[in-house]
Amino acid sequence: MSDPSAASIVSTPRVEQPSEMVPATPGQPENAHNEKPRGLLGDAWRDLRRKPLFWISATFIVIFVLMSVFPSLFTSGDPTNGTLSRSRVEPSGDAWFGYDVQGRDVYARVIYGANASIVVSLLSVMGTMLIGGTMGIIAGYKGGWVDAVLSRVADIFFGLPFVLGAIVILTTFNGAGTDNSEWKIKGLVIASLVLLGWPVVMRLMRSSVLATKEADYIVAARAMGAGSGRIILKHLLPNCLAPLLVYGTIMVGSFIGAEATLSFLGIGLKHPVVSWGIMINEAQAYLRPSPFLLFFPSAFLVTAVLSFVMLGEAVREALDPKLR
C-alpha cells in the first residue's frame, strides 16, 4: 500500500496546458509578470536601496574600514614617533589636526587609531555571534534540561555588570606592570567583550528558534526523515538570522564605544597600540588649553558608532515587514 502522507508531498507533475498571453499591466514593463518572486533578503535589499540613511551610514563604514585596513591611503605621517618641539602645536596646513603633547601628528594617530577600534569591535562581534548563536540554537531546538542548563549559565553572566566585569578581567591580565604585545592586548580586550556579550545573543537566538521550530516546513522536514543537523542548518538557521544581523550591526557600534571606554580608563588597549580611546585619555588633561586634542578623536569615535547604529536601524526596518 502506498503511504497517503507521501502522496500529499510528492505528486506527478501536471502537463502544462497552453494558455493565452497575459498582457502586462499598464505602467509596468512587459516582463513584469515573468519576474521571479523575491525572498526576505531580496525584499530587504530592495527596500534598503531606497533609504538615504543606509547609503550615508554604509559610506562612512566603508571609509572607516579602508582606514583600518589601508591607513597609508589616507596619511603618510608617523603615528607613534614625534618631536617635543612641536608639542601641542595647533592645526595648520602642515598638520591638519595639529600635534599632541609628545609632538605626534594627531591626524596620523586618528587614522591609525581606526584599526584598533574597528578590528577589536568586528572580531568581538563575530565571536559573540558565534558562541551566543550556537548556544541559543542548541538551547531552543533541544529544549528540556539542555535548555535549562544553558539558560542558567547565561543568567550567571547576565548578573555580571558589563563594565565592572571587563575591569576585573583586564585588570587581572592586562594591569599595570604587564608587558603584553600589541596583539595580546587586543586579544584580551576581544576575549573580555565576547565573554560578557554572548548571553544577549544566546537569548535572542533561542527566542527565534522557539518561535520557528514548530513551523509547518520544520514539521514536514522532520516527517520526511531529516536529521537535526540538516533541520538546523537548512531550515532554522536561515530563518533565524534576521534578528541577529540587526543586533550584530548595532553591537559593532556598541563595542567600539566599549573599547574606547576601557582604553580611556587605562585598562583596555595600551601603548604601543594606537586607539581613539587612548587619544581621548591623553587629551583630557589639556581640554582647556588644547581642545583640538580631544575634539578630533572624539568626532571620529562618535561618527563610527552612529554609522553602525544607523545601519542597524535601516536593516531592522528593511527586515521587518510591519515597518515598511
Side-chain angles (χ1 to χ4, degrees):
M1 296 180 63
S2 60
D3 188 357
S5 61
S8 61
I9 299 175
V10 181
S11 59
T12 305
R14 62 186 182 87
V15 179
E16 296 291 340
Q17 298 294 332
S19 58
E20 297 182 357
M21 295 295 295
V22 180
T25 305
Q28 293 184 350
E30 296 181 358
N31 60 345
H33 60 280
N34 293 328
E35 292 183 358
K36 295 181 180 179
R38 287 179 295 266
L40 176 63
L41 294 180
D43 288 338
W45 172 240
R46 185 186 64 173
D47 189 63
L48 278 175
R49 289 182 297 178
R50 301 174 180 176
K51 293 181 177 293
L53 185 65
F54 166 75
W55 291 111
I56 294 173
S57 59
T59 300
F60 277 109
I61 290 174
V62 170
I63 293 174
F64 284 122
V65 171
L66 289 176
M67 288 169 52
S68 174
V69 180
F70 306 107
S72 59
L73 294 177
F74 297 87
T75 179
S76 58
D78 189 346
T80 56
N81 299 316
T83 304
L84 290 178
S85 60
R86 299 181 302 192
S87 178
R88 294 195 292 118
V89 174
E90 296 185 354
S92 63
D94 297 330
W96 294 351
F97 294 174
Y99 295 95
D100 66 0
V101 181
Q102 299 183 23
R104 297 169 297 191
D105 189 350
V106 176
Y107 175 73
R109 288 181 62 78
V110 167
I111 296 299
Y112 278 87
N115 178 270
S117 299
I118 299 297
V119 169
V120 167
S121 59
L122 287 179
L123 292 180
S124 300
V125 169
M126 291 173 60
T128 302
M129 300 278 283
L130 180 62
I131 296 176
T134 301
M135 295 185 69
I137 202 168
I138 293 175
Y141 183 76
K142 292 295 184 182
W145 68 269
V146 176
D147 184 16
V149 171
L150 293 179
S151 297
R152 299 296 78 77
V153 172
D155 290 340
I156 294 174
F157 283 89
F158 263 122
L160 298 175
F162 188 89
V163 176
L164 179 60
I167 291 175
V168 172
I169 295 172
L170 294 175
T171 302
T172 303
F173 297 99
N174 192 37
T178 57
D179 188 18
N180 297 321
S181 63
E182 177 178 350
W183 280 104
K184 187 174 182 180
I185 296 173
K186 291 181 180 180
L188 289 172
V189 175
I190 292 171
S192 63
L193 294 177
V194 172
L195 187 64
L196 298 171
W198 70 265
V200 179
V201 178
M202 182 264 185
R203 286 295 183 88
L204 187 62
M205 175 60 84
R206 175 181 175 272
S207 61
S208 298
V209 172
L210 289 176
T212 307
K213 71 175 185 178
E214 298 301 331
D216 293 340
Y217 58 91
I218 301 293
V219 176
R222 190 180 295 116
M224 295 179 66
S228 298
R230 181 176 179 82
I231 292 176
I232 290 174
L233 295 177
K234 297 292 184 180
H235 301 287
L236 278 179
L237 189 59
N239 289 280
C240 296
L241 277 180
L244 259 68
L245 291 176
V246 176
Y247 182 73
T249 306
I250 298 176
M251 190 164 52
V252 174
S254 300
F255 278 177
I256 292 176
E259 176 274 318
T261 301
L262 296 174
S263 299
F264 174 80
L265 295 175
I267 59 173
L269 300 179
K270 298 180 180 179
H271 182 79
V273 182
V274 181
S275 168
W276 294 332
I278 295 175
M279 297 179 65
I280 295 173
N281 183 21
E282 295 174 348
Q284 62 176 332
Y286 305 94
L287 177 59
R288 299 185 69 178
S290 304
F292 64 91
L293 296 178
L294 180 67
F295 172 77
F296 291 112
S298 300
F300 275 70
L301 174 64
V302 172
T303 304
V305 172
L306 288 179
S307 297
F308 281 100
V309 171
M310 289 190 302
L311 180 64
E313 182 66 20
V315 173
R316 184 182 70 86
E317 293 179 358
L319 290 176
D320 191 349
K322 298 178 181 179
L323 300 178
R324 293 179 187 171

